[in-house]
Amino acid sequence: MSGFDDVLGQEKIIKHLQNAILMNKVSHAYIFSGERGAGKKLLASLFAMTLLCEKQGIDPCMECASCKKAMSRNHPDIINVIHEKPGSIGIKDIREQLVDDVEIRPYSGPYKIYIINDAQKMTLQAQNALLKTIEEPPIYAIILLLTDNPDAFLPTITSRCVTLALRPASDNVVKSYLMDRMHIPDYQAEIDASLAQGNIGRAKQAATSAEFAQLTQNALHIVEQAENMQIYELVDAVKEMSNDKNNITDYLDIFTMWFRDVLLFKATREIDSLVFKQEINHIKERAQMSSYEGLEHIIDAIETARIRLSANVNFDLTMELLFLTIKEN
């Protein structure tokens, strides 16, 4: 960990937080919203570390006793609220770990910071219990609510917090991070960054998972060989994939990216902007076989399959229809 530089693509939010520290205008409650893997936890941890850092700068120094305690996750003034039930954060969790605890002054630093991850899981009773503290907080208390669904909060809570929405990072930023920090080869970093759609957590997971690399190969094999496969072989491929239902979104993402590459190559004859540059021979072949209309029809069919699967339509049937569309176009 090397400070706010570790948080990708969130420069505006970091600037806002650093200015608040610099001008001594830190709010007593923040909502960090963004999808899972966007960097909310890291950002909240670094903000808490900076507020308690003994050097009192706009970045954590990483060297003082306070920063070291925070890095080892046993700083007495940084409280990560935990909950017993996986699906909800109850009134008991909020009362015991925050409402009652906030009356006790900080042990060593100027602030006492509460981090509630998955804060959208708070029950209405828990939110109401928290509301009183947010309305009349002790001067030293700061509450950080981390969520992928800010709409789950009571309007009375939202109106009393500063909301900071984390945006997806650009593909180039993610790709550079994977190559420079994680030493992922150019070709693989391009695929992982495109699949991650600006979500650095997802990109890191894709880059470090052998299972994901295998999934990518399987997906490419299916789309590249689809026109040569018999219906029964397509059905077998569907069966193979249905053992892997949890990963079906990744399969569909790879299919979409591959056919977009085919469409792009057909239109421009350029290789530089393709995600799957190493598959150029297969891409050329497919571009010759399919019309523009046919390729757009396939990309639409992949999206339709995605919608059907999320609506719990029969898996095998959905995938067979998709493969038939790929084969026919």
Side-chain angles (χ1 to χ4, degrees):
M1 205 188 264
S2 60
F4 284 116
D5 288 348
D6 280 344
V7 184
L8 294 191
Q10 309 301 338
E11 291 77 15
K12 277 189 183 168
I13 291 179
I14 292 166
K15 192 95 185 117
H16 174 93
L17 295 173
Q18 290 181 322
N19 281 343
I21 294 167
L22 205 57
M23 297 163 77
N24 205 19
K25 288 191 173 171
V26 175
S27 172
H28 58 84
Y30 289 88
I31 293 169
F32 289 0
S33 81
E35 61 178 30
R36 194 169 293 281
K40 301 185 295 290
K41 265 194 211 167
L42 180 59
L43 193 57
S45 302
L46 289 166
F47 184 43
M49 279 172 78
T50 308
L51 288 169
L52 296 171
C53 176
E54 290 162 21
K55 299 270 174 76
Q56 297 183 342
I58 56 167
D59 257 301
C61 75
M62 303 290 176
E63 290 165 2
C64 69
S66 175
C67 283
K68 283 179 177 165
K69 278 182 202 160
M71 282 192 282
S72 62
R73 290 181 70 85
N74 44 13
H75 198 299
D77 295 327
I78 300 175
I79 295 97
N80 286 280
V81 174
I82 55 172
H83 49 106
E84 285 173 19
K85 290 182 184 167
S88 70
I89 301 172
I91 188 167
K92 186 166 174 270
D93 301 316
I94 294 298
R95 274 206 184 128
E96 288 179 1
Q97 296 172 66
L98 196 155
V99 178
D100 297 345
D101 185 83
V102 82
E103 302 303 325
I104 304 162
R105 295 190 68 80
Y107 287 91
S108 53
Y111 298 104
K112 200 165 185 186
I113 301 161
Y114 296 85
I115 300 175
I116 307 178
N117 192 31
D118 290 330
Q120 74 280 354
K121 291 181 177 177
M122 282 190 290
T123 62
L124 285 181
Q125 294 92 329
Q127 290 190 46
N128 278 317
L130 178 65
L131 187 58
K132 189 158 170 41
T133 304
I134 287 181
E135 283 174 334
E136 300 166 17
I139 196 157
Y140 51 78
I142 295 175
I143 297 164
L144 308 180
L145 304 175
L146 279 45
T147 183
D148 57 12
N149 179 18
D151 297 338
F153 298 136
L154 293 167
T156 41
I157 284 191
T158 310
S159 65
R160 286 167 175 79
C161 297
V162 173
T163 298
L164 300 172
L166 280 73
R167 302 273 173 241
S170 75
D171 283 3
N172 284 339
V173 166
V174 177
K175 184 183 168 186
S176 299
Y177 174 87
L178 293 176
M179 288 171 67
D180 300 344
R181 305 270 190 97
M182 298 181 70
H183 311 297
I184 304 296
D186 182 339
Y187 167 69
Q188 191 59 44
E190 180 108 41
I191 296 170
D192 296 339
S194 299
L195 267 173
Q197 294 175 340
N199 183 315
I200 190 63
R202 193 175 178 203
K204 284 157 92 170
Q205 194 178 2
T208 52
S209 160
E211 184 189 321
F212 184 79
Q214 186 59 53
L215 183 149
T216 305
Q217 289 312 310
N218 293 350
L220 290 175
H221 176 75
I222 289 169
V223 284
E224 288 167 1
Q225 299 304 320
E227 69 272 14
N228 304 321
M229 290 166 80
Q230 300 300 317
I231 296 296
Y232 75 88
E233 291 176 306
L234 287 168
V235 174
D236 285 347
V238 172
K239 291 259 168 20
E240 184 76 29
M241 286 168 67
S242 62
N243 297 332
D244 215 358
K245 276 184 197 169
N246 295 341
N247 298 326
I248 193 62
T249 307
D250 291 329
Y251 274 106
L252 295 177
D253 286 347
I254 292 165
F255 292 171
T256 302
M257 279 159 49
W258 194 81
F259 282 106
R260 278 199 187 132
D261 270 3
V262 175
L263 192 57
L264 191 62
F265 180 77
K266 190 174 180 70
T268 65
R269 314 302 292 175
E270 286 174 10
I271 299 173
D272 282 356
S273 46
L274 303 183
V275 174
F276 295 110
K277 294 182 184 68
Q278 289 194 350
E279 306 296 319
I280 186 58
N281 291 338
H282 289 291
I283 287 169
K284 269 183 188 167
E285 253 175 63
R286 187 78 206 202
Q288 284 167 350
M289 286 169 53
S290 297
S291 65
Y292 288 109
E293 196 184 4
L295 289 167
E296 280 166 5
H297 193 46
I298 289 170
I299 291 166
D300 288 345
I302 297 169
E303 197 46 45
T304 303
R306 197 190 298 277
I307 293 163
R308 283 178 178 155
L309 290 172
S310 65
N312 287 325
V313 175
N314 180 279
F315 182 88
D316 288 15
L317 183 63
T318 300
M319 297 312 294
E320 278 176 37
L321 288 170
L322 170 60
F323 283 153
L324 285 168
T325 306
I326 290 172
K327 208 169 151 55
E328 285 165 4
N329 286 280

